[in-house]
Amino acid sequence: MKSEELLKLTASEPLTLEQEYQMQISWWEDNDKCTFIVLDKARWMSGSCTEEDCMVGDVNLFLIDSEDLSMAEIEIMIAEPGYRGKGFGKEVTMMMMYYGVTQLQITKFQAKINLENTISIAMFRNMHFEEVSISHAFQEVTLQLMVDNCRKDWLLEQMNWVKEEKYSEMKQRLEGDIQSAFVQQQ
Protein backbone atom coordinates (compact mmCIF):
# COMPACT_ATOMS: atom_id res chain seq x y z
CA MET A 1 0.00 0.00 0.00
CA LYS A 2 1.60 3.22 -1.16
CA SER A 3 -1.22 5.74 -0.68
CA GLU A 4 -0.27 8.28 2.00
CA GLU A 5 -3.96 8.85 2.70
CA LEU A 6 -4.64 5.13 3.29
CA LEU A 7 -1.51 4.71 5.40
CA LYS A 8 -2.71 7.55 7.62
CA LEU A 9 -6.37 6.48 7.81
CA THR A 10 -5.47 2.86 8.58
CA ALA A 11 -2.55 3.69 10.90
CA SER A 12 -0.33 1.52 8.70
CA GLU A 13 3.32 1.62 7.83
CA PRO A 14 4.62 1.21 4.27
CA LEU A 15 5.91 -2.31 3.62
CA THR A 16 8.53 -3.64 1.27
CA LEU A 17 7.48 -6.26 -1.26
CA GLU A 18 9.12 -8.95 0.90
CA GLN A 19 7.18 -7.73 3.95
CA GLU A 20 3.93 -7.82 1.93
CA TYR A 21 4.66 -11.45 0.97
CA GLN A 22 5.42 -12.36 4.58
CA MET A 23 2.17 -10.71 5.70
CA GLN A 24 0.21 -12.71 3.12
CA ILE A 25 1.79 -15.94 4.38
CA SER A 26 0.92 -14.95 7.95
CA TRP A 27 -2.70 -14.28 6.98
CA TRP A 28 -2.91 -17.66 5.26
CA GLU A 29 -1.37 -19.64 8.12
CA ASP A 30 -2.60 -17.86 11.28
CA ASN A 31 -5.79 -19.11 12.88
CA ASP A 32 -6.48 -15.80 14.62
CA LYS A 33 -7.13 -13.77 11.45
CA CYS A 34 -9.93 -13.72 8.93
CA THR A 35 -10.11 -11.51 5.84
CA PHE A 36 -12.62 -10.91 3.07
CA ILE A 37 -11.47 -9.16 -0.09
CA VAL A 38 -14.02 -6.62 -1.31
CA LEU A 39 -14.74 -6.84 -5.04
CA ASP A 40 -16.91 -4.66 -7.24
CA LYS A 41 -19.56 -7.31 -7.83
CA ALA A 42 -20.93 -5.78 -11.02
CA ARG A 43 -17.49 -5.62 -12.64
CA TRP A 44 -16.56 -9.11 -11.45
CA MET A 45 -19.87 -10.67 -12.56
CA SER A 46 -19.51 -9.07 -16.00
CA GLY A 47 -16.43 -11.20 -16.62
CA SER A 48 -14.77 -8.26 -18.36
CA CYS A 49 -11.88 -7.97 -15.92
CA THR A 50 -9.77 -10.03 -13.52
CA GLU A 51 -10.47 -10.38 -9.82
CA GLU A 52 -7.46 -8.20 -9.07
CA ASP A 53 -8.90 -5.42 -11.23
CA CYS A 54 -12.20 -5.66 -9.32
CA MET A 55 -10.65 -5.34 -5.86
CA VAL A 56 -11.76 -2.25 -3.93
CA GLY A 57 -10.70 -3.08 -0.37
CA ASP A 58 -10.83 -5.60 2.46
CA VAL A 59 -12.47 -6.28 5.79
CA ASN A 60 -10.70 -8.20 8.57
CA LEU A 61 -11.32 -9.88 11.91
CA PHE A 62 -8.57 -10.45 14.45
CA LEU A 63 -9.10 -12.75 17.44
CA ILE A 64 -7.29 -10.52 19.90
CA ASP A 65 -7.58 -12.49 23.14
CA SER A 66 -6.54 -16.16 23.13
CA GLU A 67 -8.38 -16.56 26.45
CA ASP A 68 -11.63 -15.12 25.03
CA LEU A 69 -12.34 -16.28 21.47
CA SER A 70 -15.73 -14.53 21.52
CA MET A 71 -14.04 -11.14 21.08
CA ALA A 72 -12.64 -9.83 17.80
CA GLU A 73 -11.23 -6.62 16.41
CA ILE A 74 -12.80 -5.65 13.10
CA GLU A 75 -11.33 -3.33 10.50
CA ILE A 76 -12.44 -2.15 7.10
CA MET A 77 -10.57 -0.48 4.27
CA ILE A 78 -12.11 0.71 1.04
CA ALA A 79 -8.89 1.44 -0.82
CA GLU A 80 -10.33 2.76 -4.07
CA PRO A 81 -11.52 6.37 -3.55
CA GLY A 82 -14.30 6.07 -6.15
CA TYR A 83 -15.97 3.38 -4.02
CA ARG A 84 -16.02 5.31 -0.76
CA GLY A 85 -19.25 6.80 0.53
CA LYS A 86 -21.41 4.36 -1.46
CA GLY A 87 -22.25 1.84 1.25
CA PHE A 88 -19.58 -0.76 0.42
CA GLY A 89 -17.88 -0.32 3.81
CA LYS A 90 -21.07 -0.74 5.80
CA GLU A 91 -22.24 -3.71 3.75
CA VAL A 92 -19.00 -5.68 3.99
CA THR A 93 -18.53 -4.79 7.67
CA MET A 94 -21.97 -6.18 8.40
CA MET A 95 -21.21 -9.26 6.30
CA MET A 96 -18.02 -9.87 8.29
CA MET A 97 -19.89 -9.35 11.55
CA TYR A 98 -22.53 -11.82 10.34
CA TYR A 99 -19.78 -14.34 9.57
CA GLY A 100 -18.15 -13.68 12.95
CA VAL A 101 -21.41 -14.18 14.84
CA THR A 102 -22.69 -17.20 12.91
CA GLN A 103 -19.44 -19.06 12.19
CA LEU A 104 -17.03 -17.98 14.93
CA GLN A 105 -19.50 -17.24 17.78
CA ILE A 106 -18.17 -13.69 18.21
CA THR A 107 -20.17 -11.72 20.79
CA LYS A 108 -18.00 -8.60 21.09
CA PHE A 109 -16.50 -6.53 18.30
CA GLN A 110 -13.93 -3.77 18.68
CA ALA A 111 -12.87 -1.25 16.06
CA LYS A 112 -9.76 0.92 16.45
CA ILE A 113 -9.98 3.93 14.15
CA ASN A 114 -7.71 6.89 13.46
CA LEU A 115 -9.24 9.99 15.06
CA GLU A 116 -9.11 11.83 11.71
CA ASN A 117 -11.14 9.09 9.99
CA THR A 118 -14.46 10.67 10.92
CA ILE A 119 -16.37 8.85 8.16
CA SER A 120 -15.36 5.43 9.49
CA ILE A 121 -16.06 6.48 13.08
CA ALA A 122 -19.54 7.65 12.05
CA MET A 123 -20.20 4.40 10.17
CA PHE A 124 -19.39 2.26 13.22
CA ARG A 125 -21.37 4.54 15.55
CA ASN A 126 -24.36 4.26 13.19
CA MET A 127 -24.06 0.49 13.60
CA HIS A 128 -24.39 1.00 17.40
CA PHE A 129 -20.71 0.70 18.31
CA GLU A 130 -19.95 2.72 21.43
CA GLU A 131 -16.77 4.55 22.36
CA VAL A 132 -14.74 2.79 25.04
CA SER A 133 -11.48 4.73 24.87
CA ILE A 134 -9.39 7.31 23.06
CA SER A 135 -5.62 7.02 22.75
CA HIS A 136 -4.11 10.42 22.07
CA ALA A 137 -0.68 8.80 21.83
CA PHE A 138 -1.85 6.60 18.93
CA GLN A 139 -4.43 9.12 17.68
CA GLU A 140 -7.19 6.49 17.65
CA VAL A 141 -10.56 5.78 19.16
CA THR A 142 -11.69 2.31 20.23
CA LEU A 143 -15.34 1.54 19.58
CA GLN A 144 -17.09 -1.60 20.76
CA LEU A 145 -20.29 -3.51 20.10
CA MET A 146 -21.65 -6.18 22.43
CA VAL A 147 -23.75 -8.65 20.45
CA ASP A 148 -26.64 -9.53 22.74
CA ASN A 149 -29.65 -11.52 21.48
CA CYS A 150 -31.42 -8.36 20.28
CA ARG A 151 -28.40 -7.18 18.25
CA LYS A 152 -27.81 -10.70 16.93
CA ASP A 153 -31.42 -10.95 15.74
CA TRP A 154 -31.12 -7.51 14.09
CA LEU A 155 -27.89 -8.53 12.32
CA LEU A 156 -29.37 -11.83 11.14
CA GLU A 157 -32.41 -9.97 9.79
CA GLN A 158 -30.25 -7.40 7.99
CA MET A 159 -28.12 -10.14 6.45
CA ASN A 160 -30.89 -12.64 5.64
CA TRP A 161 -29.96 -12.35 1.94
CA VAL A 162 -26.38 -13.57 2.53
CA LYS A 163 -25.63 -16.98 1.08
CA GLU A 164 -22.33 -18.58 1.98
CA GLU A 165 -20.71 -20.27 -0.99
CA LYS A 166 -17.22 -21.56 -1.61
CA TYR A 167 -15.35 -19.08 -3.76
CA SER A 168 -13.95 -21.76 -6.07
CA GLU A 169 -17.46 -23.12 -6.76
CA MET A 170 -18.90 -19.66 -7.35
CA LYS A 171 -16.05 -18.74 -9.70
CA GLN A 172 -16.47 -21.98 -11.66
CA ARG A 173 -20.24 -21.38 -11.94
CA LEU A 174 -19.69 -17.79 -13.10
CA GLU A 175 -17.13 -18.85 -15.71
CA GLY A 176 -19.64 -21.41 -17.00
CA ASP A 177 -22.36 -18.72 -17.21
CA ILE A 178 -20.05 -16.40 -19.16
CA GLN A 179 -19.08 -19.22 -21.54
CA SER A 180 -22.77 -20.09 -22.11
CA ALA A 181 -23.63 -16.44 -22.82
CA PHE A 182 -20.75 -16.24 -25.31
CA VAL A 183 -21.87 -19.40 -27.13
CA GLN A 184 -25.48 -18.13 -27.30
CA GLN A 185 -24.36 -14.84 -28.86
CA GLN A 186 -22.67 -16.68 -31.71
Side-chain angles (χ1 to χ4, degrees):
M1 176 171 36
K2 303 259 185 239
S3 164
E4 290 294 326
E5 177 189 23
L6 282 178
L7 289 169
K8 185 174 185 178
L9 291 175
T10 60
S12 300
E13 297 292 327
L15 301 175
T16 66
L17 185 58
E18 181 61 31
Q19 289 169 321
E20 288 281 359
Y21 286 140
Q22 289 303 315
M23 184 173 288
Q24 288 178 10
I25 290 169
S26 166
W27 276 92
W28 181 258
E29 294 175 347
D30 291 353
N31 292 326
D32 61 350
K33 297 177 181 97
C34 181
T35 192
F36 291 164
I37 302 299
V38 181
L39 302 178
D40 177 332
K41 182 179 178 182
R43 288 185 70 207
W44 187 70
M45 296 292 284
S46 75
S48 63
C49 56
T50 67
E51 293 143 327
E52 291 82 7
D53 292 334
C54 297
M55 290 173 50
V56 298
D58 60 45
V59 61
N60 305 292
L61 279 182
F62 304 97
L63 300 175
I64 54 179
D65 184 348
S66 61
E67 301 294 315
D68 183 4
L69 297 178
S70 68
M71 180 170 57
E73 182 177 335
I74 188 165
E75 66 176 32
I76 174 72
M77 176 185 64
I78 301 299
E80 296 297 324
Y83 289 88
R84 296 181 194 152
K86 297 183 178 181
F88 281 94
K90 180 179 180 184
E91 181 179 8
V92 298
T93 299
M94 289 181 62
M95 288 174 77
M96 180 60 94
M97 290 171 56
Y98 173 85
Y99 182 83
V101 167
T102 61
Q103 302 299 315
L104 305 174
Q105 289 67 55
I106 303 297
T107 59
K108 184 186 341 180
F109 291 97
Q110 284 188 349
K112 295 182 179 182
I113 307 166
N114 182 292
L115 289 171
E116 293 183 21
N117 193 345
T118 56
I119 293 171
S120 192
I121 293 169
M123 181 195 77
F124 279 97
R125 284 189 172 148
N126 285 337
M127 294 187 332
H128 307 286
F129 278 67
E130 297 176 355
E131 184 178 306
V132 292
S133 67
I134 293 179
S135 169
H136 293 288
F138 292 106
Q139 291 294 298
E140 69 183 16
V141 60
T142 300
L143 304 175
Q144 182 171 287
L145 177 71
M146 300 297 292
V147 183
D148 58 15
N149 285 335
C150 181
R151 293 217 194 279
K152 181 177 179 179
D153 291 344
W154 176 83
L155 181 63
L156 296 177
E157 182 180 316
Q158 297 299 306
M159 297 284 102
N160 66 3
W161 56 271
V162 172
K163 178 182 151 195
E164 190 173 337
E165 186 175 4
K166 287 186 176 181
Y167 178 74
S168 59
E169 292 171 6
M170 181 176 53
K171 184 177 178 184
Q172 186 175 29
R173 182 175 39 80
L174 176 65
E175 288 169 349
D177 291 347
I178 292 169
Q179 182 66 28
S180 294
F182 179 72
V183 169
Q184 289 175 0
Q185 287 178 347
Q186 293 180 341

